Amino acid sequence: MAGPDEFAVIDAAAVERWIRAFAAAIAEHEPELTRLDSAIGDADHGANMNRGFKAVIAKLDEASTSGPAAMLKQVGMTLVSTVGGASGPLYGTFFLRMATAIGDTDTVDQKLFAAALRAGVDGVVARGKAEAGDKTMYDALAPAVDALDAALGGEDASGALSAAADAAAQGRDATTPMQARKGRASYLGERSVGHQDPGATSAALLLRTAADALG
Amino acid sequence: MKKLINDPADVVTEALSGIAAAHPDLRVDLDHKIVYRADAPVQGKVGLLSGGGSGHEPLHGGFVGPGMLDAACAGEVFTSPVPDQMMEATRGIDGGAGVLHIVKNYTGDVMNFEMAAELAAADTGVEVVSVVTNDDVAVQDSLYTAGRRGVGVTVLVEKLAGAAADEGRDLAGVAAIARRVNDAGRSMGMALTSCTVPAAGQPTFDLPEDEMEIGIGIHGEPGRRRVPLAPAREVAEMLVEPILTDRDFTGDGGTLLFVNGMGGTPLLELYVMYREVSRILAKAGVSVARSLVGPYITSLEMAGCSVTLLQLDDELLRLWDAPVRTPGMRWGV
């Protein structure tokens, strides 16, 4: 296990483990995501994400790409081209911005990974124009990147990513009492209160699988 | 769930394949899920592209043809299409005069069309202008929502902007008509039952026999409030009152009254609603010059209806009466 000053190195194989783990988690949680989206949206978040990540996995099976950035870019492009709805552009932009932030390097240390994750989250904000408290995936992502940055100094790799995943899960839970101000759930006004946000739920899975695969 | 489908995963592609078989005037790209008019691109004419989730038929593929859209992109059920489709369609209908994207105001549609327009500008050099429809007065506080939804007025924008493009207007002129129609129209909808998304397999929301949802959208998203079931005349009040509160419809040109079925309501009931709505309008001093009654923008098998009112003027009246030849709307040809 890497110590506080020895950042774990994330290579293309590690990124692939993460993407495959997230795809598996989406498949496993498809009914839950759809059920959550039925309550306040249009009942398609699980199906859409699963369709996109099946396509992502098919691409990964075809041929492995050269580096972490190329792989993340391929994931992003595939999601934009297959998911549709709001999740396609949001998750697609997330992975594309991560790829850009990583740039042309084969080995990503945890600092760079944290910076890339933040760039991805900034991309989600730029695309979706969501703010904290709007009851969206951003409410899970924002505390996660903050927790990751805060943990970088003192924790080992695994601990820092776990802290990020825990923060994402708390952020997801915190969406339940919120009133939605973005996406289709916003049309419900006060009736959106009391339901966990499906986008925050899939985003928490994204961080949990990152902790499991990269930690 | 009882549906006439094979596999939920194939429902959109198989429906498009059926559209292609039924309508020789149309050309369908099954790979990209795009419905084109067979003679696209029309040289020198502004191309009109719309699209959105499937499940709202005849919107949008059923409105492709002379006098309306040049192409429509079909997404999965209730899911926006993707930028690749929109790019491909934009290229396919550009006759040298640019392309108008008609986008309903939903987060997914807006984001995907935005990405497509960005890519189109960089990649293809086709000039693209987008118009977003947002006519649903059920969305009360736009500051705290994603803004008003685009519903019934979208059909009217496609017809009227389509006629303007047929007259040979340039891209800016066609876009101006589309925006003017959107500004002059308001809608409000209600549901008696939920729809069932094929992939989800169960009704999107539960609605007891003795209740109805007022202010629903077209994706099975529940409405603003749930009230006890009431006779048609009271439902008509609940739909018309917020429309007339939001905009004045007593202009000289008269109005277009559009009573739309959500997919599971028979025409018999839509005409009952038309009667009630037109009586309320007469009392309010709103004159009706044109009407449209039927299922035009639907929500799978949801029972219910929406009312759309559009303020007309001489120009919009002339564009409305212009010939149109599509599977879902056809006259004057």
Side-chain angles (χ1 to χ4, degrees):
Chain A
M1 196 174 281
D5 299 321
E6 308 164 52
F7 293 118
V9 167
I10 296 165
D11 56 9
V15 170
E16 184 169 345
R17 275 202 308 279
W18 174 33
I19 299 303
R20 286 184 183 278
F22 184 48
I26 288 294
E28 185 193 337
H29 291 269
E30 181 188 337
E32 182 198 353
L33 295 173
T34 292
R35 180 176 56 75
L36 292 170
D37 198 26
S38 298
I40 55 172
D42 54 354
D44 64 3
H45 188 53
N48 289 346
M49 290 291 282
N50 203 21
R51 183 176 57 251
F53 275 91
K54 271 187 185 163
V56 165
I57 295 302
K59 282 249 168 76
L60 287 178
D61 287 344
E62 254 170 53
S64 51
T65 41
S66 49
M71 186 168 290
L72 290 167
K73 187 177 176 198
Q74 188 187 65
V75 171
M77 291 302 288
T78 307
L79 293 178
V80 169
S81 315
T82 55
V83 176
S87 311
L90 290 172
Y91 272 100
T93 301
F94 171 83
F95 285 108
L96 290 172
R97 293 284 179 98
M98 272 198 88
T100 306
I102 285 172
D104 191 20
T105 176
D106 285 338
T107 52
V108 181
D109 68 20
Q110 212 179 341
K111 247 185 196 158
L112 180 56
F113 184 78
L117 205 60
R118 187 169 286 282
V121 174
D122 289 348
V124 169
V125 173
R127 184 62 63 196
K129 298 166 187 78
E131 294 171 17
D134 281 350
K135 196 180 181 99
T136 70
M137 62 192 285
Y138 182 61
D139 289 310
L141 293 174
V145 288
D146 288 345
L148 187 58
D149 282 348
L152 270 185
E155 299 272 352
D156 58 43
S158 168
L161 283 165
S162 281
D166 291 345
Q170 281 165 21
R172 170 202 66 204
D173 294 345
T175 62
T176 301
M178 290 176 185
Q179 178 169 332
R181 292 192 296 241
K182 282 282 179 292
R184 256 168 225 167
S186 70
Y187 302 130
L188 291 183
E190 285 175 7
R191 289 173 74 186
S192 64
V193 171
H195 299 278
Q196 184 177 308
D197 182 63
T201 307
S202 59
L205 291 172
L206 179 73
L207 270 298
R208 179 59 62 196
T209 50
D212 293 347
L214 307 173
Chain B
M1 176 180 69
K2 289 165 91 172
K3 283 186 189 288
L4 285 171
I5 59 174
N6 294 309
D7 183 322
D10 301 330
V11 70
V12 172
T13 314
E14 290 183 357
L16 288 173
S17 172
I19 287 177
H23 303 288
D25 284 358
L26 303 178
R27 175 159 54 82
V28 177
D29 174 349
L30 283 179
D31 289 335
H32 291 96
K33 299 191 181 125
I34 301 167
V35 178
Y36 292 100
R37 51 187 281 182
D39 57 351
V42 181
Q43 286 310 313
K45 186 183 91 70
V46 170
L48 262 66
L49 173 67
S50 194
S54 296
H56 308 304
E57 291 68 21
L59 193 80
H60 294 276
F63 297 138
V64 175
M68 249 173 131
L69 300 175
D70 294 84
C73 300
E76 290 300 320
V77 173
F78 292 173
T79 299
S80 164
V82 298
D84 296 25
Q85 291 171 274
M86 296 155 183
M87 292 267 292
E88 179 71 22
T90 300
R91 263 195 296 265
I93 63 171
D94 179 41
V99 172
L100 180 73
H101 286 179
I102 300 169
V103 186
K104 300 190 298 305
N105 189 34
Y106 296 96
T107 308
D109 293 74
V110 170
M111 281 196 283
N112 282 286
F113 268 105
E114 231 171 55
M115 292 185 92
E118 281 173 27
L119 294 168
D123 257 36
T124 63
V126 179
E127 196 186 349
V128 173
V129 173
S130 299
V131 172
V132 176
T133 61
N134 58 351
D135 52 306
D136 189 353
V137 299
V139 179
Q140 287 162 345
D141 196 343
S142 297
L143 276 179
Y144 297 104
T145 66
R148 286 181 170 178
R149 294 176 284 226
V151 283
V153 142
T154 314
V155 177
L156 312 182
V157 167
E158 290 177 3
K159 167 67 181 88
L160 293 156
D166 262 13
E167 284 190 351
R169 264 184 247 196
D170 65 10
L171 183 56
V174 175
I177 290 289
R179 291 203 183 93
R180 191 140 69 81
V181 173
N182 183 57
D183 290 344
R186 297 289 187 278
S187 300
M188 176 86 176
M190 61 82 61
L192 297 166
T193 66
S194 172
C195 53
T196 296
V197 177
Q202 52 189 6
T204 300
F205 57 92
D206 294 318
L207 193 49
E209 268 298 297
D210 56 351
E211 291 183 337
M212 57 187 183
E213 286 266 353
I214 301 294
I216 45 97
I218 54 169
H219 303 95
E221 63 266 46
R224 292 293 301 223
R225 62 200 166 98
R226 184 166 287 194
V227 298
L229 197 60
R233 75 177 71 87
E234 287 171 35
V235 175
E237 287 282 356
M238 289 180 221
L239 298 183
V240 175
E241 192 269 333
I243 291 175
L244 294 185
T245 305
D246 201 77
R247 192 191 192 281
D248 176 31
F249 283 96
T250 54
D252 286 341
T255 62
L256 188 160
L257 169 56
F258 171 23
V259 174
N260 174 62
M262 289 295 176
T265 290
L267 274 173
L268 180 79
E269 293 169 35
L270 294 182
Y271 278 113
V272 171
M273 284 299 296
Y274 190 92
R275 169 184 188 262
E276 299 303 340
V277 170
S278 54
R279 281 150 64 118
I280 297 169
L281 293 179
K283 255 191 232 163
V286 174
S287 72
V288 176
R290 293 290 184 276
S291 64
L292 184 67
V293 183
Y296 287 93
I297 171 168
T298 61
S299 181
L300 297 172
E301 75 281 48
M302 182 189 276
C305 72
S306 61
V307 171
T308 298
L309 213 53
L310 175 71
Q311 181 67 56
L312 293 169
D313 54 35
D314 289 346
E315 184 178 38
L316 295 184
L317 197 62
R318 182 171 50 75
L319 293 171
W320 181 255
D321 290 338
V324 58
R325 197 173 80 230
T326 72
M329 195 181 280
R330 178 178 292 248
W331 60 71
V333 288

